[in-house]
Amino acid sequence: MYIQMLFRQMKIEDQLKTNNLPPARKLSLSILVTANLIDENVAAALKPFDISIQQFNVLRILRGQKGKPANLSTIQERMVSKMSNTTRLVDKLIAKELTQRIICEANRRKVEISITEKGLNLLKEIDPKVDAVEQELIKEISEDEIEFVTNCLNKIRK
């Protein structure tokens, strides 16, 4: 993590050993490199718990349902990474007893997923670790700067 922190001090051109980047490419590369840095650090925090970032995301989505089950399409649309195979992720979480599949009695084809008590307890254990990683990554940034960058990124996603 300390080597990765050193990269934060570097300009994107120095890190990628290039210069004269057009502004749009400089921004795109900065976002991608930063996203990878965040992913690597969060993945490292999750590794002792034998859970991936995508599985963590599914668990947080299900916790956000506040006890109400969600179907696979609801989970998929709320995923941070739309590239994830939601069915496979949920199957792995079921195997770990962190989620459970609920089959509707009225319509047996309707399957919903809910988080288990074990899944909720795991999130209680993981959340402070991920929070600490995120806080470490932004420790040099003021709240005003966070708000400004977030608003700029919102404009890109519009």
Side-chain angles (χ1 to χ4, degrees):
M1 187 150 150
Y2 296 109
I3 291 175
Q4 292 170 341
M5 293 298 158
L6 291 175
F7 281 124
R8 285 183 39 199
Q9 307 293 327
M10 252 187 225
K11 289 183 177 180
I12 193 69
E13 295 94 335
D14 296 338
Q15 187 175 348
L16 298 178
K17 311 252 185 284
T18 187
N19 31 343
N20 299 327
L21 289 171
R25 185 161 311 125
K26 183 177 180 178
L27 177 61
S28 294
L29 289 171
S30 292
I31 292 169
L32 290 170
V33 168
T34 304
N36 284 333
L37 174 73
I38 294 167
D39 272 0
E40 289 168 6
N41 281 275
V42 171
L46 295 174
K47 188 172 184 168
F49 301 97
D50 190 33
I51 192 165
S52 70
I53 291 173
Q54 294 83 6
Q55 290 171 341
F56 179 58
N57 190 211
V58 169
L59 289 174
R60 289 191 304 179
I61 291 165
L62 292 173
R63 176 179 58 191
Q65 292 288 110
K66 300 187 184 332
K68 184 178 161 202
N71 60 39
L72 287 173
S73 62
T74 299
I75 295 169
Q76 178 66 38
E77 72 187 31
R78 294 183 185 166
M79 291 290 292
V80 172
S81 172
K82 305 293 185 205
M83 302 297 289
S84 300
N85 180 334
T86 309
T87 302
R88 183 180 54 82
L89 290 172
V90 167
D91 286 345
K92 286 184 177 185
L93 292 169
I94 289 170
K96 294 177 183 185
E97 300 177 350
L98 300 173
T99 61
Q100 62 187 352
R101 192 175 280 119
I102 300 167
I103 299 170
C104 179
E105 293 297 323
N107 180 358
R108 308 236 354 117
R109 292 177 297 180
K110 183 178 178 185
V111 176
E112 294 183 312
I113 311 301
S114 67
I115 190 166
T116 63
E117 197 64 37
K118 184 176 177 180
L120 290 170
N121 290 335
L122 180 64
L123 284 178
K124 284 179 188 168
E125 196 176 344
I126 290 175
D127 282 340
K129 311 284 187 211
V130 172
D131 290 346
V133 166
E134 291 171 343
Q135 287 302 312
E136 178 65 23
L137 288 167
I138 64 160
K139 70 181 181 186
E140 303 294 324
I141 303 172
S142 72
E143 285 189 31
D144 287 343
E145 289 171 318
I146 291 169
E147 193 65 30
F148 176 75
V149 171
T150 301
N151 288 334
C152 290
L153 293 171
N154 288 340
K155 287 180 182 180
I156 291 172
R157 287 190 309 274
K158 54 184 162 185

